[in-house]
Each structure stands twice: as structure tokens, then as C-alpha cells.
Amino acid sequence: MKAQMKSADRMSARYTAILGEDELNNGVIALKSMSTGEQRTVKLEELAQSLV
């Protein structure tokens, strides 16, 4: 996953989304702000509103 994060940083992505088996089972997704490094978990149905 480290290589994917570096790739997202090189592409100037604002956020990265992490969706593994645990997240999928719980109906959530981990969002990481590439500018601050802050990571938070949001419900899948709230994803679009979290990116505004």
C-alpha cells in the first residue's frame, strides 16, 4: 500500500480511499487527506458528502 500512497501523492491527489475486507464488512471506507495526513472512517453512503 505504501507504493500506492506515493503514487497518489505524485499525482497530487487530495484524498486516498482505503477499502479493505474489514471496511467492506463494516460498510465504511477509510479516507486519508494527502495534504494533512489525517485519516478518518466514513460510512460508504456518506462518502460523496465527505469529499466536498
Side-chain angles (χ1 to χ4, degrees):
M1 187 175 341
K2 189 175 181 177
Q4 289 90 345
M5 292 294 181
K6 284 185 179 183
S7 178
D9 193 41
R10 281 193 302 270
M11 293 188 304
S12 299
R14 290 178 57 195
Y15 297 97
T16 55
I18 303 165
L19 182 62
E21 188 175 338
D22 290 339
E23 289 85 5
L24 196 55
N25 288 336
N26 291 312
V28 298
I29 193 163
L31 274 184
K32 181 175 182 175
S33 169
M34 296 303 288
S35 62
T36 66
E38 175 191 355
Q39 185 170 317
R40 59 191 170 119
T41 303
V42 297
K43 294 180 183 179
L44 286 172
E45 60 269 8
E46 297 172 358
L47 177 60
Q49 293 131 352
S50 299
L51 296 174
V52 201

